[in-house]
């Protein structure tokens, strides 16, 4: 029986060459991976789509996986099997992951047991697929790198996407004054429902003036920045003394005047969840699981796609106007 099990096949998205969304190939004869020691096999119900996955697929990202590969890290599903030495999970457990070994855009995925967490019954699999990268990144940006404190103000620039909404919920729960921007009326409403005290439309030519009116002469303490190649120069004008811009997302170059950092002793700090230590990841996990239990961590699911439409999902996450929550693939 073991032999037959290792030979079973599944549907999975494979990338054989770097390029546009069209290089994502759905195949139905991919071998189901087998969990090694300290790994688990998950039957995938939903998988989150993150902008970084489009950069990796295009071949322009610093980290390039060996070809061919299956993209995807934020999986939610049910444990199908466990490797040796795994005691934390058993077959049938509902779980979500922070990353996978074999790739998440597939019917089954293998993950290291220490990157897998229990998915409470109060959240469905779609929501489970919206936790990993967004909430861990938001927590890292705010606290591990941004040193946020209760009473400070935070501007989440591009707050209606997965990481943005996570940042709004976490910051609000931790006592910060939360401002958010979005590109649509709908996006602004979503932000306000998820922790922001005030929302601004970043398509409005005067929106930075409105933010300044709101923060007063003091400026904003922390900016969580999803599109630094567009906003970084303006961000430096909005900061308080000793304020910091956390660069979470970037799609190109931008020119800034470093003097703008001198006049306020402000900082520009890059954020990469990939560089988190094991201890930092555990801290993120504890905060996230506590937030779920307390009830303020409620992932907002945006657009949903079947696995067949994965190329469309990759197109839409970069080019669609205005996010409204986390994009997920449903299996």
């Amino acid at each position: 029986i073991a032999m037959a099990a290792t030979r079973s096949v599944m549907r999975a998205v494979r990338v054989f060459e770097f390029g546009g969304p069209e290089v994502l190939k759905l195949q139905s004869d991919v071998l189901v991976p087998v969990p090694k020691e300290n790994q688990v096999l998950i039957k995938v119900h939903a998988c989150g789509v993150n902008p970084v996955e489009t950069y990796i697929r295009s071949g322009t990202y610093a980290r390039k996986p060996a070809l061919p590969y299956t993209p995807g890290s934020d999986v939610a599903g049910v444990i199908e099997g466990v490797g040796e030495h795994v005691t934390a999970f058993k077959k049938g457990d509902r779980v979500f992951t922070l990353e996978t070994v074999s790739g998440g855009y597939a019917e089954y995925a293998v993950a290291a047991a220490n990157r897998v967490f229990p998915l409470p019954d109060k959240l469905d699999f779609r929501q489970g697929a919206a936790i990993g990268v967004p909430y861990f990144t938001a927590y890292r940006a705010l606290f591990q790198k941004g040193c946020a404190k209760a009473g400070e103000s935070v501007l989440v620039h591009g707050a209606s996407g997965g990481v943005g909404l996570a940042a709004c919920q976490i910051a609000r729960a931790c006592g910060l004054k939360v401002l958010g921007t979005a590109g649509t009326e709908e996006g602004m409403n979503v932000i306000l429902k998820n922790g922001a005290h005030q929302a601004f439309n970043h398509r409005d030519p005067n929106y930075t003036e409105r933010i300044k009116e709101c923060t007063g002469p003091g400026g904003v303490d922390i900016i969580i920045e999803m599109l630094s190649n567009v906003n970084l120069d303006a961000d430096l004008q909005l900061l308080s003394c000793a304020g910091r811009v956390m660069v979470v997302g970037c799609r190109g170059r931008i020119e800034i005047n470093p003097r703008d950092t001198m006049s306020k002793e402000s900082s520009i700090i890059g954020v990469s969840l990939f560089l988190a230590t094991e201890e930092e990841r555990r801290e993120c996990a504890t905060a996230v699981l506590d937030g779920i239990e307390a009830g303020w961590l409620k992932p907002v699911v945006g657009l949903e796609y079947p696995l067949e439409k994965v190329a469309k999902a990759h197109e839409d996450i970069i080019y669609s106007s205005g996010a409204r929550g986390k994009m997920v693939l449903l299996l």
Side-chain angles (χ1 to χ4, degrees):
I1 292 174
M3 283 301 290
T6 58
R7 293 218 177 110
S8 52
V9 294
M10 62 173 180
R11 292 187 313 142
V13 174
R14 302 292 281 161
V15 175
F16 294 92
E17 59 179 327
F18 296 112
E22 70 283 353
V23 302
L24 297 160
K25 305 289 186 201
L26 180 58
Q27 302 198 299
S28 52
D29 58 353
V30 179
L31 286 174
V32 173
V34 177
K36 301 192 175 94
E37 61 176 349
N38 299 315
Q39 293 182 339
V40 297
L41 178 67
I42 300 166
K43 183 175 186 356
V44 179
H45 286 252
C47 181
V49 180
N50 295 296
V52 69
E53 286 145 27
T54 70
Y55 312 151
I56 294 169
R57 181 214 70 227
S58 70
T60 60
Y61 197 63
R63 281 188 296 126
K64 284 192 185 70
L67 296 168
Y69 76 98
T70 295
S73 57
D74 289 332
V75 158
V78 173
I79 297 281
E80 180 72 19
V82 300
E84 274 188 286
H85 311 309
V86 175
T87 53
F89 300 103
K90 61 185 189 308
K91 188 175 160 72
D93 287 350
R94 290 164 42 100
V95 294
F96 71 92
T97 66
L98 181 59
E99 60 187 68
T100 66
V101 175
S102 59
Y105 297 8
E107 289 178 323
Y108 291 90
V110 160
N114 64 353
R115 300 285 191 276
V116 176
F117 307 96
L119 179 65
D121 289 337
K122 62 170 89 169
L123 300 180
D124 62 30
F125 291 117
R126 294 154 49 254
Q127 291 172 302
I131 301 170
V133 169
Y135 282 88
F136 281 59
T137 300
Y139 183 85
R140 181 168 180 76
L142 283 162
F143 298 105
Q144 292 177 343
K145 293 292 159 189
C147 304
K149 294 182 179 62
E152 287 193 310
S153 57
V154 60
L155 169 65
V156 184
H157 221 156
S160 60
V163 178
L165 289 169
C168 288
Q169 290 178 2
I170 295 171
R172 180 65 180 252
C174 294
L176 282 91
K177 181 183 181 185
V178 185
L179 315 176
T181 78
T184 63
E185 196 67 39
E186 193 181 354
M188 288 164 66
N189 289 334
V190 171
I191 295 171
L192 290 168
K193 283 200 190 88
N194 284 281
H197 292 88
Q198 275 179 286
F200 304 87
N201 189 327
H202 51 222
R203 292 178 202 277
D204 169 356
N206 300 319
Y207 84 98
T208 53
E209 294 309 313
R210 301 226 159 92
I211 292 171
K212 283 178 182 162
E213 284 165 21
C214 177
T215 60
V220 65
D221 298 307
I222 303 173
I223 297 176
I224 307 288
E225 183 52 72
M226 310 303 166
L227 199 57
S228 43
N229 55 301
V230 172
N231 301 321
L232 188 57
D233 189 45
D235 288 343
L236 294 176
Q237 321 300 323
L238 294 171
L239 285 177
S240 65
C241 266
R244 45 263 186 227
V245 181
M246 313 309 301
V247 177
V248 171
C250 182
R251 295 183 187 169
R253 301 176 75 83
I254 185 171
E255 192 172 302
I256 62 164
N257 184 348
R259 185 171 283 159
D260 291 337
T261 66
M262 294 158 64
S263 56
K264 297 171 176 171
E265 292 197 323
S266 55
S267 314
I268 300 166
I269 302 169
V271 179
S272 169
L273 186 56
F274 180 66
L275 295 176
T277 63
E278 196 51 55
E279 198 182 344
E280 286 173 329
R281 265 190 289 262
R282 273 201 298 271
E283 184 196 333
C284 289
T286 304
V288 164
L289 294 169
D290 284 356
I292 295 171
E293 201 179 330
W296 56 258
L297 194 157
K298 289 201 188 82
V300 179
V301 176
L303 297 168
E304 302 174 6
Y305 299 79
L307 211 46
E308 297 77 37
K309 293 270 169 53
V310 63
K312 178 90 173 87
H314 267 225
E315 225 165 275
D316 290 352
I317 199 164
I318 297 300
Y319 298 111
S320 72
S321 60
R324 293 170 305 286
K326 169 79 176 203
M327 182 183 282
V328 296
L329 299 170
L330 299 180
L331 286 97

